[in-house]
Amino acid sequence: LFRNILARHGRTIGTAAIATTAGVTVASLLNEKDSFGRAASVASCDSPTVLSLLQEVSARLSNLEAMVGGVRAQTTGSRKKDGIDVVLGAQWGDEGKGKLVDILSQEYDVCARVAGGSNAGHTIVVNNKKYKFHLLPSGILNEKATCVIGNGVVVHLPSFLNELESLAGNGVNYEGRILLSDRAHLVFDFHQEVDGRNEARLGRHKIGTTKKGIGPAYASKISRNGLRVGDLQDWPTFERRFRSLCEQQMRAYDGLTIDIDAQLEYYKSIADRVGGFTVDTIAYTNAQFDAGKKILVEGANATMLDIDFGTYPFVTSSNPSVGSVLTGLGVSPRKLRSIYGTVKAYCTRVGEGPFPTELEMKEGSEGLHLSQVGAEYGTTTGRPRRCGWLDIPQMKYSAVINGFTCINLTKLDVLTGLPEVKIGKSYKVNGEILPFMPASLETLGKVEVEYEVLPGWTEDISTVNRFEDLPINCQNYVLRVQELIGVPIRWIGVGPNRLDVIDRGEGWEINAN
């Protein structure tokens, strides 16, 4: 922010310094009165944060520039009062988005999923009890929140109904609180079989999908022969189009057999129950916004798995970046407020594809420490995750795409006990630093990562609830990561439970305006 102020107002600062000799002092700037004769406050809160003071200085300098030009600038508040807040994964997934959503959702009226399907996996620990979510938003644990599965999600109805049964078995009352978009496309069992066949055909060049049928379902959607949730309420049309889709799939894949009549019997048996959840979520969400309700979007997967922005082809089949909020929920970009990027204090990846900061998993290694202490196994697949150091070039790329207003740094406690911690600071190829994330996987696969090494810490941080009480080496790590990414870190995860989080407050958010 200091750099931004100097860049934007350097000339004004210089002019003000010269004008000081003519009797214009800094004190007069800080005690200026507005056009109505009212004294301007230094900050909008009783205990101003560093960021709020710097924002105030920037605003005052803008005013000074405008007055010199004859027009007084209009200032904006520190944060939009109303808007949709978004929690996104900033790495390769499994960052701990669900935990933040669970915490935040206690204050929201609507929680929504907008992309992907049951390939996503979120684990929430409440009172030492684990809840695993794949399709439903984690906000379902807030009894006052309505959960929306938007039009951009692809839904495997058997998995959806199984997840509901699991909720009921854990004593969670979901009645009247789950809404399913009539425009969301369906994942069928044969989509999952096709997904597995496609992976097998690729052999050692496999993508590493979850085999949940997500890619083939999106392919049916893009091919314009898919079926949507709302189609179940028009049975003759559903039956006709389902038979046509099955026949097309069996022609395309030798040996694929689908018991069409048995499948139709199943879907007819659940049509009424699914109909009870089915609504026009576009109309519902926008009506809730207009009524002043608070809306939170829970992203699935992560930016580096985005079909457009990720390490293609080792990606998912949807857009788990900020754009999916608009296309997968049906809202205007003008309705967004805060965009929270979730990032681990280190980095993990499930599946294939380049991973520049990846560590070895041998006995006694740092990689094995991260894996074991962090319990790095996929929620959806159970596969062990690949582990590595935090990757700053990747994070800066993610921040550019999504426009994060702050960062949620998770699993900082996992680094406890390491004698030193490393940060992947930059990429080099042939001795030259890469200025941006390369699209070429060949280039990304051969980058040399330049690391910055910081001293570690051994103190237990799981009970710490203030940033200032963290070990000094731990604080320095967080501050250095914040500086390198260029986005303030608001939340810091210090343990596995839902309340093991330090919240530094709204002062550590960039104005979304």
Side-chain angles (χ1 to χ4, degrees):
L1 190 50
F2 272 122
R3 286 195 294 269
N4 288 340
I5 290 174
L6 289 172
R8 291 172 53 198
H9 308 293
R11 183 181 299 177
T12 301
I13 293 172
T15 303
I18 296 171
T20 301
T21 60
V24 179
T25 65
V26 174
S28 67
L29 176 62
L30 293 176
N31 291 283
E32 67 171 347
K33 294 182 180 292
D34 64 19
S35 57
F36 296 97
R38 298 175 299 202
S41 61
V42 173
S44 60
C45 55
D46 294 332
S47 301
T49 64
V50 173
L51 282 179
S52 66
L53 288 171
L54 289 173
Q55 288 167 345
E56 183 71 18
V57 171
S58 179
R60 300 272 175 107
L61 288 167
S62 294
N63 289 342
L64 180 60
E65 288 175 338
M67 286 189 289
V68 169
V71 179
R72 186 176 178 84
Q74 292 185 349
T75 59
T76 61
S78 62
R79 201 162 180 257
K80 289 173 72 174
K81 183 178 179 181
D82 299 313
I84 297 171
D85 295 332
V86 184
V87 176
L88 296 175
Q91 297 165 304
W92 276 280
D94 308 305
E95 301 94 346
K97 301 176 288 293
K99 183 175 179 179
L100 180 61
V101 169
D102 178 48
I103 294 170
L104 294 178
S105 66
Q106 308 306 310
E107 303 174 3
Y108 287 80
D109 304 296
V110 178
C111 295
R113 277 278 310 272
V114 297
S118 54
N119 58 332
H122 298 154
T123 302
I124 307 296
V125 181
V126 182
N127 297 326
N128 295 318
K129 187 174 184 179
K130 282 187 178 182
Y131 295 86
K132 295 186 177 183
F133 300 97
H134 300 279
L135 194 59
L136 296 174
S138 307
I140 193 66
L141 296 180
N142 171 18
E143 294 182 355
K144 297 179 181 178
T146 298
C147 291
V148 171
I149 298 177
N151 60 275
V153 179
V154 288
V155 182
H156 183 240
L157 288 175
S159 299
F160 170 71
L161 296 176
N162 286 339
E163 204 161 330
L164 295 183
E165 290 178 11
S166 177
L167 280 178
N170 283 312
V172 178
N173 180 16
Y174 60 81
E175 293 298 331
R177 298 197 298 114
I178 297 176
L179 303 179
L180 194 54
S181 173
D182 55 359
R183 292 177 170 86
H185 275 252
L186 293 171
V187 181
F188 295 108
D189 290 349
F190 60 77
H191 282 136
Q192 297 184 340
E193 185 173 346
V194 166
D195 203 357
R197 283 175 171 234
N198 287 341
E199 278 288 272
R201 285 179 180 177
L202 291 171
R204 65 187 183 89
H205 300 293
K206 64 181 181 178
I207 302 298
T209 77
T210 59
K211 301 177 184 177
K212 297 293 183 180
I214 308 303
Y218 275 116
S220 291
K221 176 179 179 177
I222 298 304
S223 299
R224 299 182 295 278
N225 59 10
L227 282 90
R228 304 191 291 182
V229 171
D231 293 334
L232 267 175
Q233 306 313 308
D234 180 359
W235 185 252
T237 300
F238 180 89
E239 180 178 2
R240 174 176 54 81
R241 296 191 60 210
F242 182 79
R243 289 184 182 278
S244 175
L245 177 59
C246 290
E247 290 165 1
Q248 182 270 325
Q249 293 287 315
M250 287 189 288
R251 286 195 301 270
Y253 294 92
D254 290 338
L256 175 65
T257 58
I258 304 170
D259 190 337
I260 297 176
D261 290 332
Q263 286 286 294
L264 285 171
E265 182 180 354
Y266 169 76
Y267 281 99
K268 191 168 187 178
S269 73
I270 66 170
D272 288 342
R273 187 180 181 197
V274 172
F277 298 104
T278 305
V279 300
D280 183 339
T281 55
I282 299 173
Y284 173 84
T285 304
N286 283 281
Q288 294 298 297
F289 179 89
D290 293 340
K293 301 296 184 180
K294 297 186 70 177
I295 302 171
L296 180 68
V297 172
E298 175 179 352
N301 307 122
T303 301
M304 297 309 296
L305 296 176
D306 189 289
I307 188 72
D308 289 303
F309 304 122
T311 48
Y312 187 89
F314 301 100
V315 292
T316 190
S317 301
S318 61
N319 293 104
S321 51
V322 70
S324 65
V325 179
L326 314 180
T327 59
L329 194 58
V331 295
S332 160
R334 298 172 65 182
K335 294 181 178 179
L336 300 189
R337 180 175 66 165
S338 296
I339 304 167
Y340 306 136
T342 303
V343 52
K344 279 178 182 169
Y346 48 103
C347 195
T348 63
R349 177 167 195 172
V350 169
E352 309 303 314
F355 186 4
T357 63
E358 186 170 11
L359 291 165
E360 292 183 337
M361 303 292 274
K362 62 184 180 182
E363 191 67 32
S365 68
E366 296 155 326
L368 191 62
H369 170 97
L370 298 177
S371 176
Q372 292 180 341
V373 177
E376 295 298 351
Y377 298 91
T379 302
T380 297
T381 64
R383 290 180 293 179
R385 298 171 183 145
R386 301 154 65 190
C387 297
W389 297 117
L390 187 61
D391 186 331
I392 294 300
Q394 175 271 308
M395 275 304 306
K396 292 174 77 171
Y397 173 69
S398 185
V400 165
I401 290 168
N402 294 294
F404 298 135
T405 57
C406 69
I407 294 293
N408 168 35
L409 185 70
T410 66
K411 299 188 116 175
L412 183 63
D413 55 298
V414 174
L415 299 181
T416 299
L418 291 172
E420 61 184 25
V421 290
K422 296 181 181 180
I423 302 173
K425 188 176 177 182
S426 59
Y427 294 161
K428 269 188 174 181
V429 173
N430 299 326
E432 299 289 330
I433 292 180
L434 292 182
F436 204 62
M437 177 67 67
S440 166
L441 295 196
E442 183 178 354
T443 301
L444 187 61
K446 66 182 181 182
V447 297
E448 174 190 349
V449 181
E450 285 197 327
Y451 289 98
E452 185 170 315
V453 182
L454 283 74
W457 59 92
T458 58
E459 300 91 335
D460 178 16
I461 66 173
S462 61
T463 59
V464 176
N465 53 29
R466 295 195 320 148
F467 178 75
E468 295 77 11
D469 295 333
L470 289 171
I472 189 64
N473 286 351
C474 189
Q475 291 185 41
N476 289 338
Y477 179 79
V478 173
L479 294 174
R480 185 56 177 152
V481 169
Q482 178 176 265
E483 179 182 12
L484 289 171
I485 298 175
V487 179
I489 294 173
R490 175 175 173 179
W491 292 280
I492 303 168
V494 295
N497 290 307
R498 73 193 305 193
L499 298 181
D500 296 342
V501 176
I502 296 171
D503 183 358
R504 301 170 79 190
E506 288 186 4
W508 292 94
E509 283 190 45
I510 297 172
N511 181 2
N513 281 326

Coordinates of all heavy atoms in Angstrom, one line a residue, residues 283-354:
A283 N -33.3 -17.2 -9.9 CA -34.3 -16.3 -9.3 C -34.3 -16.2 -7.8 O -34.3 -15.1 -7.2 CB -35.7 -16.8 -9.8
Y284 N -34.1 -17.4 -7.2 CA -34.0 -17.4 -5.7 C -32.8 -16.6 -5.2 O -33.0 -15.7 -4.3 CB -33.9 -18.8 -5.2 CG -33.7 -18.9 -3.7 CD1 -34.7 -18.9 -2.8 CD2 -32.4 -19.1 -3.2 CE1 -34.5 -18.9 -1.4 CE2 -32.1 -19.1 -1.8 CZ -33.2 -19.1 -1.0 OH -33.0 -19.1 0.4
T285 N -31.6 -16.8 -5.7 CA -30.4 -16.1 -5.2 C -30.5 -14.6 -5.4 O -30.2 -13.9 -4.5 CB -29.2 -16.7 -5.9 OG1 -29.1 -18.1 -5.7 CG2 -27.9 -16.1 -5.4
N286 N -31.0 -14.2 -6.6 CA -31.0 -12.8 -6.8 C -32.1 -12.1 -6.0 O -32.0 -11.0 -5.5 CB -31.3 -12.5 -8.3 CG -30.0 -12.7 -9.1 OD1 -29.1 -11.8 -9.1 ND2 -29.9 -13.8 -9.8
A287 N -33.2 -12.8 -5.7 CA -34.3 -12.3 -4.8 C -33.7 -12.2 -3.4 O -34.1 -11.2 -2.7 CB -35.5 -13.2 -4.9
Q288 N -32.9 -13.2 -3.0 CA -32.4 -13.1 -1.6 C -31.4 -11.9 -1.5 O -31.4 -11.2 -0.5 CB -31.6 -14.4 -1.3 CG -32.5 -15.6 -1.2 CD -33.5 -15.4 0.0 OE1 -33.2 -15.3 1.1 NE2 -34.8 -15.4 -0.4
F289 N -30.6 -11.7 -2.6 CA -29.7 -10.5 -2.6 C -30.5 -9.2 -2.5 O -30.2 -8.3 -1.7 CB -28.9 -10.5 -3.9 CG -27.9 -9.4 -4.0 CD1 -26.7 -9.4 -3.5 CD2 -28.3 -8.2 -4.6 CE1 -25.8 -8.4 -3.6 CE2 -27.5 -7.1 -4.7 CZ -26.2 -7.2 -4.2
D290 N -31.5 -9.1 -3.3 CA -32.4 -7.9 -3.3 C -33.0 -7.7 -1.9 O -33.3 -6.5 -1.6 CB -33.4 -7.9 -4.4 CG -32.8 -7.9 -5.8 OD1 -31.7 -7.4 -5.9 OD2 -33.5 -8.3 -6.7
A291 N -33.3 -8.7 -1.2 CA -33.9 -8.6 0.1 C -32.9 -8.3 1.2 O -33.3 -8.3 2.4 CB -34.7 -9.9 0.4
G292 N -31.6 -8.2 0.8 CA -30.6 -7.8 1.8 C -30.0 -9.0 2.5 O -29.3 -8.8 3.6
K293 N -30.3 -10.2 2.0 CA -29.7 -11.4 2.7 C -28.2 -11.5 2.4 O -27.7 -11.1 1.4 CB -30.4 -12.7 2.2 CG -31.9 -12.7 2.5 CD -32.3 -12.7 4.0 CE -33.8 -12.8 4.2 NZ -34.1 -12.8 5.7
K294 N -27.5 -12.1 3.4 CA -26.1 -12.3 3.2 C -25.8 -13.6 2.5 O -26.3 -14.7 2.9 CB -25.4 -12.3 4.6 CG -25.5 -11.0 5.3 CD -24.7 -10.9 6.6 CE -23.2 -10.9 6.3 NZ -22.4 -10.8 7.5
I295 N -25.0 -13.6 1.5 CA -24.8 -14.8 0.6 C -23.3 -15.1 0.6 O -22.4 -14.2 0.4 CB -25.3 -14.5 -0.8 CG1 -26.8 -14.2 -0.8 CG2 -25.0 -15.7 -1.7 CD1 -27.3 -13.7 -2.1
L296 N -23.0 -16.4 0.8 CA -21.6 -16.9 0.8 C -21.5 -18.0 -0.3 O -22.3 -18.9 -0.3 CB -21.2 -17.4 2.1 CG -19.8 -17.9 2.3 CD1 -18.7 -16.8 2.2 CD2 -19.6 -18.6 3.6
V297 N -20.4 -17.9 -1.1 CA -20.2 -18.9 -2.1 C -19.0 -19.7 -1.7 O -17.9 -19.2 -1.4 CB -19.9 -18.3 -3.5 CG1 -19.5 -19.4 -4.5 CG2 -21.2 -17.6 -4.0
E298 N -19.2 -21.1 -1.7 CA -18.1 -22.0 -1.4 C -17.5 -22.6 -2.6 O -18.2 -23.4 -3.3 CB -18.6 -23.1 -0.4 CG -17.6 -24.2 -0.1 CD -18.2 -25.2 0.8 OE1 -19.3 -25.1 1.3 OE2 -17.5 -26.2 1.0
G299 N -16.3 -22.2 -3.0 CA -15.7 -22.7 -4.2 C -15.3 -24.2 -4.0 O -15.0 -24.6 -2.8
A300 N -15.2 -24.9 -5.0 CA -14.7 -26.3 -5.0 C -13.5 -26.4 -5.9 O -13.2 -25.6 -6.7 CB -15.8 -27.2 -5.6
N301 N -12.6 -27.4 -5.6 CA -11.4 -27.6 -6.3 C -10.5 -26.3 -6.1 O -10.5 -25.7 -5.0 CB -11.6 -27.9 -7.7 CG -12.5 -29.1 -7.9 OD1 -13.5 -29.0 -8.6 ND2 -12.1 -30.2 -7.4
A302 N -9.8 -25.8 -7.1 CA -9.0 -24.6 -6.9 C -8.5 -24.1 -8.3 O -8.7 -24.7 -9.3 CB -7.8 -25.0 -6.1
T303 N -7.9 -22.9 -8.2 CA -7.5 -22.2 -9.4 C -6.6 -23.0 -10.3 O -6.7 -22.9 -11.5 CB -6.9 -20.8 -9.0 OG1 -7.8 -20.1 -8.2 CG2 -6.5 -20.0 -10.3
M304 N -5.6 -23.7 -9.7 CA -4.7 -24.4 -10.5 C -5.2 -25.6 -11.2 O -4.5 -26.3 -11.9 CB -3.4 -24.7 -9.7 CG -2.7 -23.4 -9.3 SD -2.3 -22.3 -10.6 CE -1.2 -23.2 -11.6
L305 N -6.5 -25.9 -10.9 CA -7.2 -27.0 -11.5 C -8.3 -26.5 -12.5 O -9.0 -27.3 -13.0 CB -7.9 -28.0 -10.5 CG -6.9 -28.7 -9.5 CD1 -7.7 -29.5 -8.5 CD2 -6.0 -29.6 -10.3
D306 N -8.3 -25.2 -12.7 CA -9.3 -24.6 -13.6 C -9.0 -25.1 -15.0 O -7.9 -25.1 -15.5 CB -9.1 -23.1 -13.5 CG -10.2 -22.3 -14.2 OD1 -10.2 -22.3 -15.4 OD2 -11.1 -21.7 -13.5
I307 N -10.1 -25.4 -15.7 CA -10.0 -25.9 -17.1 C -9.3 -24.9 -18.0 O -8.6 -25.3 -19.0 CB -11.4 -26.3 -17.7 CG1 -11.2 -27.0 -19.0 CG2 -12.2 -25.0 -17.8 CD1 -10.7 -28.4 -18.9
D308 N -9.4 -23.6 -17.7 CA -8.7 -22.5 -18.5 C -7.4 -22.1 -17.9 O -6.5 -21.8 -18.7 CB -9.7 -21.3 -18.7 CG -10.9 -21.6 -19.6 OD1 -10.6 -22.0 -20.7 OD2 -12.0 -21.5 -19.1
F309 N -7.3 -21.9 -16.6 CA -6.2 -21.3 -16.0 C -5.2 -22.3 -15.3 O -4.1 -21.9 -15.0 CB -6.6 -20.3 -15.0 CG -7.6 -19.2 -15.5 CD1 -8.8 -19.1 -15.0 CD2 -7.2 -18.4 -16.6 CE1 -9.7 -18.1 -15.5 CE2 -8.1 -17.5 -17.1 CZ -9.3 -17.3 -16.5
G310 N -5.6 -23.5 -15.2 CA -4.8 -24.5 -14.5 C -3.7 -25.1 -15.3 O -3.5 -24.7 -16.5
T311 N -3.1 -26.2 -14.8 CA -2.0 -26.9 -15.5 C -2.6 -27.9 -16.4 O -2.5 -29.1 -16.3 CB -1.1 -27.6 -14.5 OG1 -1.9 -28.3 -13.5 CG2 -0.3 -26.5 -13.7
Y312 N -3.3 -27.4 -17.5 CA -4.0 -28.2 -18.5 C -3.0 -29.1 -19.2 O -1.9 -28.7 -19.5 CB -4.6 -27.2 -19.5 CG -5.5 -27.9 -20.5 CD1 -6.9 -28.1 -20.3 CD2 -5.0 -28.4 -21.7 CE1 -7.7 -28.7 -21.2 CE2 -5.8 -29.0 -22.6 CZ -7.1 -29.2 -22.4 OH -7.9 -29.9 -23.3
P313 N -3.4 -30.4 -19.4 CA -4.7 -31.0 -19.2 C -4.9 -31.6 -17.8 O -5.9 -32.3 -17.6 CB -4.7 -32.1 -20.3 CG -3.2 -32.6 -20.3 CD -2.4 -31.3 -20.1
F314 N -3.9 -31.4 -16.9 CA -4.1 -32.0 -15.6 C -4.9 -31.1 -14.7 O -4.4 -30.5 -13.7 CB -2.7 -32.3 -14.9 CG -1.8 -33.2 -15.8 CD1 -0.8 -32.7 -16.6 CD2 -2.0 -34.5 -15.8 CE1 -0.1 -33.5 -17.4 CE2 -1.2 -35.4 -16.5 CZ -0.3 -34.9 -17.4
V315 N -6.2 -31.0 -15.0 CA -7.1 -30.1 -14.4 C -8.5 -30.7 -14.3 O -8.7 -31.9 -14.7 CB -7.2 -28.8 -15.3 CG1 -6.0 -28.0 -15.3 CG2 -7.7 -29.1 -16.7
T316 N -9.4 -30.0 -13.6 CA -10.7 -30.5 -13.6 C -11.5 -30.0 -14.8 O -10.9 -29.4 -15.7 CB -11.4 -30.0 -12.3 OG1 -12.7 -30.7 -12.1 CG2 -11.7 -28.5 -12.3
S317 N -12.8 -30.2 -14.9 CA -13.5 -29.9 -16.1 C -14.4 -28.7 -16.0 O -15.3 -28.5 -16.8 CB -14.4 -31.1 -16.5 OG -13.6 -32.3 -16.7
S318 N -14.2 -27.9 -14.9 CA -15.0 -26.7 -14.7 C -14.1 -25.5 -14.4 O -12.8 -25.7 -14.5 CB -16.0 -26.9 -13.5 OG -15.3 -27.2 -12.3
N319 N -14.6 -24.4 -14.0 CA -13.9 -23.2 -13.7 C -14.0 -22.9 -12.2 O -14.9 -22.2 -11.8 CB -14.4 -22.0 -14.5 CG -14.1 -22.2 -16.0 OD1 -15.0 -22.4 -16.8 ND2 -12.9 -22.0 -16.4
P320 N -13.1 -23.5 -11.4 CA -13.2 -23.2 -10.0 C -12.6 -21.9 -9.5 O -12.2 -21.7 -8.4 CB -12.4 -24.4 -9.3 CG -11.7 -25.1 -10.4 CD -12.1 -24.5 -11.7
S321 N -12.4 -20.9 -10.5 CA -11.9 -19.6 -10.2 C -13.2 -18.7 -10.0 O -14.3 -19.1 -10.1 CB -11.0 -19.1 -11.2 OG -11.5 -19.3 -12.5
V322 N -12.9 -17.4 -9.9 CA -14.0 -16.4 -9.5 C -15.1 -16.3 -10.6 O -16.2 -16.1 -10.3 CB -13.4 -15.1 -9.2 CG1 -12.8 -14.4 -10.5 CG2 -14.4 -14.2 -8.5
G323 N -14.7 -16.6 -11.9 CA -15.7 -16.5 -12.9 C -16.9 -17.4 -12.8 O -18.0 -17.1 -13.2
S324 N -16.6 -18.6 -12.1 CA -17.7 -19.6 -12.0 C -18.8 -19.1 -11.1 O -19.9 -19.6 -11.1 CB -17.2 -20.9 -11.5 OG -16.6 -20.7 -10.2
V325 N -18.5 -18.1 -10.2 CA -19.5 -17.6 -9.3 C -20.6 -16.9 -10.2 O -21.8 -17.0 -9.9 CB -18.9 -16.5 -8.3 CG1 -20.0 -16.0 -7.4 CG2 -17.8 -17.2 -7.5
L326 N -20.2 -16.2 -11.2 CA -21.2 -15.5 -12.1 C -22.0 -16.5 -12.9 O -23.2 -16.4 -13.0 CB -20.4 -14.5 -12.9 CG -19.4 -13.6 -12.2 CD1 -18.8 -12.6 -13.2 CD2 -20.1 -12.9 -11.0
T327 N -21.2 -17.4 -13.6 CA -21.9 -18.3 -14.6 C -22.6 -19.5 -13.9 O -23.5 -20.1 -14.4 CB -20.9 -18.8 -15.6 OG1 -19.8 -19.5 -14.9 CG2 -20.3 -17.7 -16.4
G328 N -22.1 -19.9 -12.7 CA -22.6 -21.0 -12.0 C -23.7 -20.7 -11.0 O -24.3 -21.6 -10.4
L329 N -23.9 -19.4 -10.7 CA -25.0 -19.0 -9.8 C -26.0 -18.1 -10.4 O -27.1 -18.0 -10.0 CB -24.3 -18.3 -8.6 CG -25.2 -18.2 -7.3 CD1 -25.7 -19.5 -6.8 CD2 -24.4 -17.5 -6.2
G330 N -25.5 -17.4 -11.5 CA -26.4 -16.5 -12.2 C -26.6 -15.2 -11.6 O -27.7 -14.7 -11.4
V331 N -25.4 -14.6 -11.2 CA -25.5 -13.3 -10.6 C -24.5 -12.3 -11.3 O -23.6 -12.7 -12.0 CB -25.0 -13.3 -9.1 CG1 -26.0 -14.1 -8.3 CG2 -23.6 -13.9 -8.9
S332 N -24.8 -11.0 -11.1 CA -23.9 -10.0 -11.8 C -22.6 -9.8 -11.1 O -22.6 -9.9 -9.8 CB -24.7 -8.7 -11.8 OG -23.9 -7.6 -12.0
P333 N -21.5 -9.5 -11.8 CA -20.3 -9.2 -11.1 C -20.4 -8.0 -10.2 O -19.6 -7.9 -9.2 CB -19.3 -9.0 -12.3 CG -20.1 -8.7 -13.5 CD -21.4 -9.4 -13.2
R334 N -21.3 -7.1 -10.4 CA -21.5 -6.0 -9.5 C -22.0 -6.3 -8.2 O -22.0 -5.5 -7.2 CB -22.4 -5.0 -10.2 CG -21.9 -4.4 -11.5 CD -22.9 -3.6 -12.3 NE -23.3 -2.4 -11.5 CZ -24.2 -1.5 -11.9 NH1 -24.8 -1.7 -13.1 NH2 -24.4 -0.4 -11.2
K335 N -22.4 -7.6 -8.0 CA -23.0 -8.0 -6.7 C -21.9 -8.7 -5.8 O -22.2 -9.0 -4.7 CB -24.2 -9.0 -6.9 CG -25.4 -8.3 -7.6 CD -26.5 -9.2 -7.8 CE -27.7 -8.4 -8.4 NZ -28.9 -9.3 -8.6
L336 N -20.7 -8.9 -6.3 CA -19.7 -9.5 -5.5 C -19.0 -8.4 -4.6 O -18.9 -7.2 -4.9 CB -18.6 -10.0 -6.4 CG -19.0 -11.1 -7.4 CD1 -17.7 -11.7 -8.0 CD2 -19.8 -12.2 -6.8
R337 N -18.7 -8.9 -3.4 CA -18.0 -8.0 -2.4 C -16.6 -8.5 -2.1 O -15.6 -8.0 -2.7 CB -18.9 -7.9 -1.1 CG -18.2 -7.0 -0.1 CD -19.1 -6.8 1.1 NE -19.2 -8.1 1.9 CZ -19.7 -8.1 3.1 NH1 -20.1 -7.0 3.7 NH2 -19.8 -9.3 3.8
S338 N -16.4 -9.5 -1.3 CA -15.1 -9.9 -0.9 C -14.8 -11.3 -1.5 O -15.7 -12.1 -1.7 CB -15.0 -10.1 0.6 OG -15.2 -8.8 1.3
I339 N -13.5 -11.5 -1.9 CA -13.1 -12.7 -2.5 C -11.9 -13.2 -1.6 O -10.8 -12.6 -1.6 CB -12.6 -12.5 -3.9 CG1 -13.8 -11.9 -4.7 CG2 -12.2 -13.8 -4.6 CD1 -13.4 -11.4 -6.1
Y340 N -12.2 -14.3 -0.9 CA -11.2 -14.9 0.0 C -10.4 -16.0 -0.6 O -11.0 -17.1 -0.9 CB -11.9 -15.3 1.3 CG -12.8 -14.3 2.0 CD1 -14.1 -14.7 2.4 CD2 -12.4 -13.0 2.1 CE1 -14.9 -13.7 3.0 CE2 -13.2 -12.1 2.7 CZ -14.5 -12.4 3.2 OH -15.3 -11.5 3.8
G341 N -9.1 -15.9 -0.7 CA -8.3 -16.9 -1.3 C -7.8 -17.8 -0.2 O -7.1 -17.3 0.8
T342 N -8.0 -19.1 -0.3 CA -7.6 -20.0 0.8 C -6.3 -20.7 0.3 O -6.3 -21.3 -0.8 CB -8.7 -21.1 1.1 OG1 -9.9 -20.4 1.5 CG2 -8.2 -22.0 2.2
V343 N -5.3 -20.7 1.1 CA -4.0 -21.3 0.8 C -3.4 -21.9 2.0 O -3.4 -21.4 3.1 CB -3.1 -20.2 0.2 CG1 -3.0 -19.0 1.2 CG2 -1.7 -20.7 0.0
K344 N -2.8 -23.1 1.8 CA -2.1 -23.8 2.9 C -0.8 -23.1 3.1 O -0.3 -22.4 2.2 CB -1.8 -25.2 2.5 CG -3.0 -26.2 2.7 CD -2.6 -27.6 2.3 CE -3.8 -28.5 2.5 NZ -3.6 -29.8 1.9
A345 N -0.2 -23.2 4.3 CA 1.1 -22.7 4.6 C 2.2 -23.4 3.9 O 3.3 -22.9 3.9 CB 1.3 -22.7 6.1
Y346 N 1.8 -24.5 3.2 CA 2.7 -25.2 2.3 C 1.9 -25.5 1.1 O 1.0 -24.7 0.7 CB 3.3 -26.4 3.0 CG 2.2 -27.3 3.7 CD1 1.8 -28.5 3.1 CD2 1.7 -27.0 4.9 CE1 0.9 -29.3 3.7 CE2 0.8 -27.8 5.5 CZ 0.3 -29.0 4.9 OH -0.6 -29.8 5.5
C347 N 2.2 -26.5 0.4 CA 1.4 -26.8 -0.9 C 1.2 -28.3 -1.0 O 2.1 -29.1 -0.7 CB 2.2 -26.2 -2.1 SG 1.2 -26.1 -3.6
T348 N 0.0 -28.7 -1.6 CA -0.2 -30.1 -1.9 C -0.9 -30.2 -3.2 O -1.5 -29.3 -3.7 CB -1.1 -30.8 -0.8 OG1 -2.4 -30.1 -0.8 CG2 -0.5 -30.7 0.6
R349 N -0.8 -31.4 -3.7 CA -1.5 -31.7 -5.0 C -1.9 -33.2 -5.0 O -1.1 -34.1 -4.7 CB -0.6 -31.3 -6.2 CG -1.3 -31.7 -7.5 CD -0.6 -31.1 -8.7 NE -1.5 -31.2 -9.9 CZ -1.3 -30.7 -11.0 NH1 -0.3 -29.9 -11.3 NH2 -2.2 -30.8 -12.0
V350 N -3.1 -33.5 -5.5 CA -3.5 -34.9 -5.7 C -3.6 -35.1 -7.2 O -4.0 -34.2 -8.0 CB -4.9 -35.1 -5.1 CG1 -5.5 -36.5 -5.6 CG2 -4.8 -35.1 -3.6
G351 N -3.1 -36.2 -7.7 CA -3.2 -36.5 -9.1 C -1.9 -36.2 -9.8 O -0.9 -35.8 -9.2
E352 N -2.0 -36.2 -11.1 CA -0.8 -36.0 -11.9 C -0.6 -34.6 -12.3 O -1.4 -33.7 -12.0 CB -0.9 -36.9 -13.2 CG -1.2 -38.3 -13.0 CD -0.3 -39.0 -12.1 OE1 1.0 -38.9 -12.3 OE2 -0.7 -39.8 -11.2
G353 N 0.6 -34.3 -12.9 CA 0.8 -32.9 -13.4 C 2.0 -32.3 -12.7 O 2.5 -32.8 -11.6
P354 N 2.6 -31.3 -13.3 CA 3.8 -30.6 -12.7 C 3.5 -30.0 -11.3 O 2.4 -29.5 -11.0 CB 4.1 -29.5 -13.7 CG 2.9 -29.3 -14.4 CD 2.1 -30.6 -14.5

